[in-house]
Amino acid sequence: MLYLILCFLLGFFNSSLLSLSSSLPPTHLCRPEQSSALLQFKSNLSLSISKCSQEFHIVSVHKTDSWDEGTDCCKWEGVVRDNRKGNVIGLDLSCSGLIGSLQSNSSIFSLQNLRWLNLAGNYFSNSEIPSEFGKLRSLTYLNLSDTALTGFVPHEFSLLSELVSLDLGRNYLLFRDHDFNMLVHNLTKLENIVLDYMNLSLVVPYSFLNLTVSLKHLSLSYCDLQGNFPTQVFHLPFLENIILSSNPNLIGYLPETNWSSPLSLLDVSGTRFPKGLPGSIGNLKHLKALSLSRCVFMGSIPSTLGNLTKLTFLDISNNMFQRQIPDVFGNLNDLSSMDFSSNNFSGVFPSSAFNLTSLTFMDFSSNFLQGTLPNNISELSYLRELHLYENLLRGRVPGWLFSLPSLEYLDLHSNKLNGPIDSIQEPNLVLLNLTSLDLSSNNLSGNIQSCMLVKLRNLRSLDLSFNNLLSLTRCSNDVNSTLPRIIEFLSLLATCNVSQAS
Ligand SMILES: *[C@@H]1O[C@H](CO)[C@@H](O)[C@H](O)[C@H]1NC(C)=O
Ligand SMILES: *[C@@H]1O[C@H](CO)[C@@H](O)[C@H](O)[C@H]1NC(C)=O
Ligand SMILES: *[C@@H]1O[C@H](CO)[C@@H](O)[C@H](O)[C@H]1NC(C)=O
Ligand SMILES: *[C@@H]1O[C@H](CO)[C@@H](O)[C@H](O)[C@H]1NC(C)=O
Ligand SMILES: *[C@@H]1O[C@H](CO)[C@@H](O)[C@H](O)[C@H]1NC(C)=O
Ligand SMILES: *[C@@H]1O[C@H](CO)[C@@H](O)[C@H](O)[C@H]1NC(C)=O
Ligand SMILES: *[C@@H]1O[C@H](CO)[C@@H](O)[C@H](O)[C@H]1NC(C)=O
Ligand SMILES: *[C@@H]1O[C@H](CO)[C@@H](O)[C@H](O)[C@H]1NC(C)=O
Ligand SMILES: *[C@@H]1O[C@H](CO)[C@@H](O)[C@H](O)[C@H]1NC(C)=O
Ligand SMILES: *[C@@H]1O[C@H](CO)[C@@H](O)[C@H](O)[C@H]1NC(C)=O
Ligand SMILES: *[C@@H]1O[C@H](CO)[C@@H](O)[C@H](O)[C@H]1NC(C)=O
Ligand SMILES: *[C@@H]1O[C@H](CO)[C@@H](O)[C@H](O)[C@H]1NC(C)=O
């Protein structure tokens, strides 16, 4: 009773907020036929104790446990009811542990007032995706992600012309080209379309030309897309996120002009975009993440990259970029991850990268970069990984490397670094978190005493091999010796001189 009053009050409050002009008293009960449709939907499925798909990192909760016959559906978890007419207008059963087949006669398709439907992360036992979804004409939000639905997406989906957001990703679903064309042509209000891990191999990518101008978010990773991607999609005026990653047979190029100015996330990694990176990329003032890895990109890097001051993530690794990297990173204060590895860059290392205060990950490995590491650096206090291996770097290993407080991985192997590395033996060393240090295959010299490494409490792997002039001495008073495990490692690689001090 108390509950009904509460329900009524809440209902009244909501409806008076939503429709101030209305003088009708609110009803507070779900329509009985809709309540029983929900109960039938529940009874036709079982519950699993399994978690939601790992990638969502959500533990499933049995929302339908609260659905009891005889109580109003206002009380049921995941159910949203329109307060005036008592219609069920929203259903969020995402990650609810539901298991069973989803048939075309399922009672859920009678809930024709639904505006939001989220069934993501349940398991519909490889049921063929029912064409009856096309009956739910009021839907503005539909999420069927990761539900083990199969088959061709029926053409009836193009009847859902109110849809603003559609997620069919992570299912064994395919689209016929014609049906997909109809869908993108007819869903003129779409802002958000996620089809990751679907099979779009039959869709001619030119169909994306028919996408509505209102589009903000397009996600198509692992879709087996084939052929040429229309560059015009990058011009869509409201586009914020575009993810085309891991479609190895998708060919395209980035536009020289007319980029969508709100673009914030651009990911074409693992596709074939064989042309260069245009200088116009620097006009994307809102760009936060740029991922161009594994795309056979060629040419040099435009200096306008330094204008992307909002950038937090930059990955251009594993391409065929070449020539000098412009030294323009000084203003990228939010950049936390930069990966330029496995390209063909030459010339001097861009030292402005060492000025980036927010950096946690830096990788320039496997290039032809020359130059020396700077002598004095006070930034990089969040840097956890630094990979500069397989380059042509010369000069000393500077002391500041061993005072980076967050450093866990330092890999400088296969360069031309020389001189002693005394700084690793300094008494005030703060590298508590260093777990892996690889300085092998350089020209380092001098002697390191084992007892001086005792502060590197987390060191799991040390490789100093292939430095002919470098030796390691075991201290006789090395009580807690960190050395045994290091020697063990070194002895596998062997060419470093290990001697026993007496
Ligand atoms: C679905 O639920 C209804 C009502 O609870 C029941 O009559 C019907 O047999 C169920 N169908 C299946 C396939 O479980
Ligand atoms: C739905 O159809 C299936 C077969 O297609 C049948 O087994 C099931 O009983 C039907 N369920 C209802 C609720 O009619
Ligand atoms: C497009 O949507 C409208 C409703 O807005 C519908 O009448 C029409 O049949 C749909 N076209 C297709 C090809 O589905
Ligand atoms: C669909 O639901 C899943 C699971 O809750 C979520 O991760 C995903 O972002 C949703 N998709 C959209 C487009 O809202
Ligand atoms: C996608 O579907 C096509 C046609 O059915 C098939 O040839 C292809 O192997 C599928 N791709 C993937 C990645 O499963
Ligand atoms: C766009 O859609 C219309 C109608 O579905 C179709 O005739 C046309 O070929 C499509 N355009 C492209 C480029 O696919
Ligand atoms: C860029 O936009 C301008 C103005 O809208 C237009 O004249 C020009 O043709 C566009 N260029 C390309 C390559 O689309
Ligand atoms: C963009 O970068 C170029 C070259 O680095 C520079 O000359 C120009 O002033 C920058 N523009 C803006 C708006 O920051
Ligand atoms: C890489 O650069 C080297 C010299 O810097 C050049 O000889 C080689 O041809 C380049 N390789 C590619 C694939 O561009
Ligand atoms: C890095 O910062 C230092 C001090 O803040 C400054 O003197 C130097 O010019 C900067 N280097 C680059 C390449 O931006
Ligand atoms: C060192 O690692 C621990 C455990 O991962 C972490 O909590 C701590 O913040 C790290 N210290 C620094 C200075 O990053
Ligand atoms: C050896 O380790 C113990 C316990 O971790 C510590 O209390 C002691 O100070 C260490 N001794 C030396 C010489 O570092």
Side-chain angles (χ1 to χ4, degrees), residues 50 86 124 159 307 309 314 337 364 372 394 399 431 446 466 494 497:
S50 76
F124 295 127
L159 296 169
N307 291 9
T309 52
L314 173 59
S337 177
F364 283 86
T372 57
R394 292 177 179 278
L431 275 175
F466 298 100
N497 301 319

Side-chain angles (χ1 to χ4, degrees), residues 403-432:
S403 59
L404 296 177
S406 309
L407 200 63
E408 292 168 22
Y409 296 88
L410 175 58
D411 194 343
L412 303 177
H413 83 260
S414 303
N415 276 289
K416 298 175 181 300
L417 299 166
N418 60 35
I421 38 173
D422 292 338
S423 35
I424 202 173
Q425 309 192 53
E426 276 172 15
N428 51 356
L429 196 70
V430 288
L431 275 175
L432 292 176

Side-chain angles (χ1 to χ4, degrees), residues 153 158 175-186 193 195 198 200 203-205 207-208 210-211 218 220:
V153 178
S158 57
F175 256 117
R176 289 187 186 89
D177 185 48
H178 179 262
D179 295 341
F180 186 74
N181 242 307
M182 284 300 171
L183 182 101
V184 291
H185 192 252
N186 218 22
I193 181 160
L195 306 176
M198 271 188 73
L200 299 184
V203 170
V204 179
S207 302
F208 294 108
N210 265 338
L211 280 168
L218 176 64
L220 301 169

Side-chain angles (χ1 to χ4, degrees), residues 21-34:
S21 58
S22 164
S23 55
L24 288 171
T27 54
H28 49 275
L29 292 171
C30 285
R31 293 182 172 256
E33 75 280 7
Q34 296 187 12

